[in-house]
Amino acid sequence: MTDPTINTDQPHSTEQDTAAQPGPVLPPDIDALSYEEAREQLVAVVSKLEAGGTSLEDSLALWERGEALARRCEDWLEGARKRLAAARKDS
């Protein structure tokens, strides 16, 4: 059975799609998340994957969503690092 919370309609990126960009574009629903929201959703994705029992298609969709959520968390953390570096430089 397919999990209705998993969106498998997302286009899959190719190397050609990402060659002109620094990284894959995040889906809008993930791009709008705060760090805490993205981390919470990532934990839920990991729990579902670890529990098993999902189809291969759903597992792949969960994996892809988890990768995007992890990138969102990294983006937030990198932004925080840059802000701290700028604050230290200015002081």
Side-chain angles (χ1 to χ4, degrees):
M1 176 175 9
T2 302
D3 185 338
T5 63
I6 301 171
N7 183 357
T8 57
D9 296 333
Q10 295 292 328
H12 299 284
S13 63
T14 63
E15 288 187 33
Q16 184 179 13
D17 294 338
T18 60
Q21 302 172 5
V25 175
L26 294 174
D29 67 314
I30 292 176
D31 194 41
L33 296 175
S34 69
Y35 172 80
E36 291 79 7
E37 292 167 330
R39 187 175 46 83
E40 182 178 308
Q41 287 189 25
L42 179 57
V43 168
V45 165
V46 169
S47 294
K48 283 183 183 180
L49 286 169
E50 287 178 340
T54 57
S55 68
L56 178 58
E57 182 180 346
D58 287 349
S59 294
L60 289 172
L62 279 168
W63 180 269
E64 290 171 348
R65 183 162 181 83
E67 288 288 328
L69 289 163
R71 272 196 317 276
R72 180 64 177 149
C73 289
E74 284 295 320
D75 289 348
W76 270 106
L77 292 173
E78 184 58 31
R81 285 183 197 106
K82 288 179 181 178
R83 288 175 62 193
L84 284 171
R88 287 179 181 155
K89 183 179 177 184
D90 290 342
S91 58

